[in-house]
Amino acid sequence: MTELSEDGGGIVSEFDLNCATCGGSLTRSQVPAETVGVESAGPLVVAECANCGSRYFPRNTLDAL
């Protein structure tokens, strides 16, 4: 996701958002493609919540799939 913040500031990425499940902070992580049931040449970048373990796919990852 590459959208401008509502206040007209910089670009907002998935890693700037809070977890939709618990409100925790998201961090950049990599997981094997097989973990999510897809074939890929390498690991996939995800936004992962350290609190509850929820994973979100950044736009670049979705575009690559």
Side-chain angles (χ1 to χ4, degrees), residues 3-61:
E3 298 181 11
L4 294 178
S5 65
E6 289 183 12
D7 64 4
I11 294 176
V12 176
S13 79
E14 289 81 356
F15 309 106
D16 298 322
L17 302 173
N18 291 329
C19 175
T21 303
C22 74
S25 296
L26 299 177
T27 58
R28 180 185 176 93
S29 183
Q30 291 186 348
V31 297
E34 298 80 27
T35 302
V36 294
V38 297
E39 292 184 25
S40 178
L44 301 174
V45 174
V46 296
E48 188 169 43
C49 179
N51 291 335
C52 71
S54 291
R55 291 180 178 155
Y56 303 91
F57 295 93
R59 171 60 57 196
N60 291 344
T61 299

